[in-house]
């Protein structure tokens, strides 16, 4: 059996092994349901949350930076933040940062109106 690395699935946050016992379904059935649900969610939410960016869209963002804050030829402002986490098992110093705590880095790009893009 494939090791699951403690990942949780769907709304329960449980592993495939636990879902297998909770719903009295085979492991391969659970895997199929997870795959089908993930693909349907991606297909349904893709255009809403990750639309294809057109040239016009980028030009509008650039115009927003020029008009709103007098910053020409800019299509996004990038910033990052360390998000505090508990040390993952067997990770060693992989997530340990220069600020002396364990973290993952969240990077974001925003337009001139501070909307994430």
């Amino acid at each position: 059996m494939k090791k699951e690395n403690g990942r949780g699935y769907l709304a329960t946050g449980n592993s495939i092994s636990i879902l297998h016992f909770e719903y009295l379904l085979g492991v391969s059935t659970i895997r199929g349901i997870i795959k089908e649900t993930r693909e349907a969610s991606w297909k349904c939410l893709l255009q809403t949350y990750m639309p294809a960016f057109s040239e016009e869209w980028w030009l509008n963002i650039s115009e927003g930076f020029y008009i709103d804050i007098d910053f020409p030829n800019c299509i996004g402002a990038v910033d990052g933040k360390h998000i505090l986490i508990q040390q993952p098992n067997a990770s060693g110093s992989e997530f340990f940062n220069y600020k002396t705590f364990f973290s993952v880095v969240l990077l974001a790009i925003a337009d001139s109106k501070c909307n994430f893009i």
Side-chain angles (χ1 to χ4, degrees):
M1 182 171 5
K2 187 176 177 183
K3 186 176 177 185
E4 296 165 5
N5 298 326
R7 288 181 279 173
Y9 290 98
L10 304 175
T12 65
N14 291 333
S15 68
I16 289 175
S17 301
I18 293 173
L19 292 172
H20 157 69
F21 289 111
E22 282 183 354
Y23 294 101
L24 302 175
L25 296 170
V27 171
S28 60
T29 303
I30 296 291
R31 288 185 196 278
I33 291 169
I34 290 169
K35 181 179 179 187
E36 187 178 323
T37 303
R38 185 182 63 230
E39 289 171 357
S41 297
W42 177 258
K43 185 177 178 183
C44 180
L45 300 174
L46 177 64
Q47 289 304 312
T48 303
Y49 294 101
M50 293 184 68
F53 301 129
S54 65
E55 184 176 344
E56 180 184 344
W57 188 80
W58 288 113
L59 290 172
N60 286 338
I61 289 176
S62 177
E63 184 179 332
F65 273 102
Y66 183 66
I67 291 170
D68 296 342
I69 56 177
D70 198 25
F71 201 78
N73 303 318
C74 181
I75 57 170
V78 179
D79 197 7
K81 178 171 180 52
H82 285 272
I83 306 296
L84 177 71
I85 62 169
Q86 287 185 339
Q87 180 183 10
N89 293 336
S91 66
S93 62
E94 183 177 356
F95 295 95
F96 195 74
N97 66 35
Y98 70 97
K99 296 183 175 189
T100 67
F101 61 88
F102 291 90
S103 68
V104 292
V105 177
L106 172 68
L107 286 175
I109 303 174
D111 64 12
S112 63
K113 295 177 178 26
C114 298
N115 296 316
F116 291 126
I117 56 171

